[in-house]
Tab-separated table of all heavy atoms in Angstrom:
chain	number	residue	atom	x	y	z
B	44	ASN	N	-108.210	136.082	-80.865
B	44	ASN	CA	-108.845	135.963	-79.560
B	44	ASN	C	-108.032	135.048	-78.669
B	44	ASN	O	-107.594	133.985	-79.107
B	44	ASN	CB	-110.262	135.376	-79.707
B	44	ASN	CG	-111.287	136.467	-79.903
B	44	ASN	OD1	-111.051	137.605	-79.492
B	44	ASN	ND2	-112.390	136.129	-80.531
B	48	LYS	N	-104.014	139.980	-75.328
B	48	LYS	CA	-104.008	141.452	-75.429
B	48	LYS	C	-104.676	142.080	-74.206
B	48	LYS	O	-104.106	142.957	-73.543
B	48	LYS	CB	-104.754	141.903	-76.704
B	48	LYS	CG	-104.305	141.201	-77.971
B	48	LYS	CD	-105.105	141.641	-79.181
B	48	LYS	CE	-106.574	141.268	-79.131
B	48	LYS	NZ	-106.889	139.855	-79.364
B	49	SER	N	-105.890	141.637	-73.909
B	49	SER	CA	-106.613	142.212	-72.778
B	49	SER	C	-105.859	141.993	-71.474
B	49	SER	O	-105.770	142.882	-70.626
B	49	SER	CB	-108.009	141.598	-72.670
B	49	SER	OG	-108.784	141.927	-73.792
B	91	GLN	N	-113.002	146.191	-72.465
B	91	GLN	CA	-113.787	145.491	-73.480
B	91	GLN	C	-115.229	145.313	-72.988
B	91	GLN	O	-116.177	145.438	-73.746
B	91	GLN	CB	-113.135	144.130	-73.726
B	91	GLN	CG	-113.572	143.462	-74.990
B	91	GLN	CD	-112.679	142.269	-75.314
B	91	GLN	OE1	-111.700	141.984	-74.631
B	91	GLN	NE2	-113.005	141.575	-76.367
B	172	ASP	N	-109.758	148.989	-75.190
B	172	ASP	CA	-109.848	147.572	-75.522
B	172	ASP	C	-111.068	147.341	-76.402
B	172	ASP	O	-112.189	147.324	-75.924
B	172	ASP	CB	-109.924	146.740	-74.235
B	172	ASP	CG	-109.662	145.258	-74.504
B	172	ASP	OD1	-109.655	144.868	-75.682
B	172	ASP	OD2	-109.466	144.520	-73.522
B	173	GLU	N	-110.845	147.204	-77.693
B	173	GLU	CA	-111.900	147.017	-78.686
B	173	GLU	C	-113.049	148.017	-78.496
B	173	GLU	O	-114.189	147.629	-78.265
B	173	GLU	CB	-112.430	145.583	-78.625
B	173	GLU	CG	-111.283	144.580	-78.675
B	173	GLU	CD	-111.706	143.206	-79.173
B	173	GLU	OE1	-112.813	143.084	-79.684
B	173	GLU	OE2	-110.886	142.291	-79.044
B	203	ILE	N	-106.567	148.360	-78.793
B	203	ILE	CA	-106.756	146.962	-79.184
B	203	ILE	C	-107.878	146.927	-80.196
B	203	ILE	O	-108.953	147.466	-79.947
B	203	ILE	CB	-107.107	146.090	-77.967
B	203	ILE	CG1	-105.977	146.139	-76.944
B	203	ILE	CG2	-107.376	144.656	-78.403
B	203	ILE	CD1	-106.239	145.322	-75.705
C	2	MG	MG1	-109.737	140.825	-75.237
Side-chain angles (χ1 to χ4, degrees):
Chain B
N44 270 335
K48 310 178 295 286
S49 295
Q91 197 168 356
D172 195 348
E173 309 203 12
I203 299 179

